[in-house]
């Protein structure tokens, strides 16, 4: 299976959907922020490993606590993933904090500041 095949794209989408549901409703760890979302998932073509990019709204402490909570719940997540999705292999999940949403919000604020300064000069 090629990396960008239709089958791999479908698997990525299904794993992302199931992970989002698990994080939102099933995991009861208090370290995991309720404002956590799964941005993207990339399952390896051999279905052995998976990278999940998550976004956490909050400060650095909330991000690290959420990441620790997700790492401690990896066994539960993998078991639920195996029950929900019928794959030949259930992938080992690696969680990565995604900074793109935070970066976009920061850039939007900077653009607004520049526009406001430009309007004051005129």
């Amino acid at each position: 299976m090629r990396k960008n095949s239709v089958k791999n794209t479908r698997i990525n989408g299904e794993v992302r959907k199931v992970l989002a549901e698990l994080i939102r409703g099933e995991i009861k760890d208090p370290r995991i922020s309720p404002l956590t979302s799964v941005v993207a998932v990339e399952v390896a073509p051999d279905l052995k490993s998976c990278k999940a990019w998550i976004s956490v709204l909050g400060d650095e402490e909330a991000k690290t606590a959420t990441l620790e909570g997700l790492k401690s719940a990896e066994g539960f997540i993998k078991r639920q993933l195996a029950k929900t999705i019928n794959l030949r292999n259930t992938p080992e999940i690696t969680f990565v904090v995604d900074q793109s949403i935070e970066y976009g919000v920061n850039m939007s604020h900077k653009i607004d500041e520049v526009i406001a300064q430009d309007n004051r000069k005129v």
Side-chain angles (χ1 to χ4, degrees):
M1 178 168 58
R2 291 179 323 223
K3 187 174 181 179
N4 293 329
S5 70
V6 173
K7 182 180 177 185
N8 200 358
T9 304
R10 276 196 332 241
I11 290 172
N12 290 342
E14 189 64 25
V15 170
R16 187 183 76 72
K17 185 176 96 175
V18 171
L19 278 177
E21 290 172 2
L22 285 172
I23 291 171
R24 182 177 48 243
E26 304 267 334
I27 300 174
K28 304 293 186 223
D29 194 332
R31 295 177 288 184
I32 298 175
S33 171
L35 300 172
T36 301
S37 61
V38 180
V39 177
V41 170
E42 185 178 301
V43 179
D46 63 355
L47 305 176
K48 300 271 186 196
S49 63
C50 168
K51 270 189 179 177
W53 283 271
I54 60 164
S55 176
V56 181
L57 189 63
D59 58 351
E60 285 299 318
E61 186 177 317
K63 291 177 186 174
T64 37
T66 299
L67 204 54
E68 287 174 9
L70 288 172
K71 284 182 182 178
S72 71
E74 277 181 2
F76 172 77
I77 292 171
K78 185 174 178 179
R79 189 169 50 251
Q80 292 300 107
L81 199 62
K83 285 181 183 178
T84 308
I85 302 175
N86 186 15
L87 293 175
R88 186 176 343 125
N89 298 318
T90 304
E92 291 292 327
I93 301 168
T94 306
F95 292 101
V96 181
V97 176
D98 185 41
Q99 304 287 344
S100 63
I101 295 174
E102 185 178 325
Y103 177 77
V105 169
N106 188 21
M107 290 306 292
S108 178
H109 285 300
K110 288 182 179 182
I111 290 170
D112 291 342
E113 287 175 6
V114 169
I115 290 173
Q117 286 177 354
D118 193 40
N119 286 341
R120 278 184 267 173
K121 287 181 182 178
V122 173

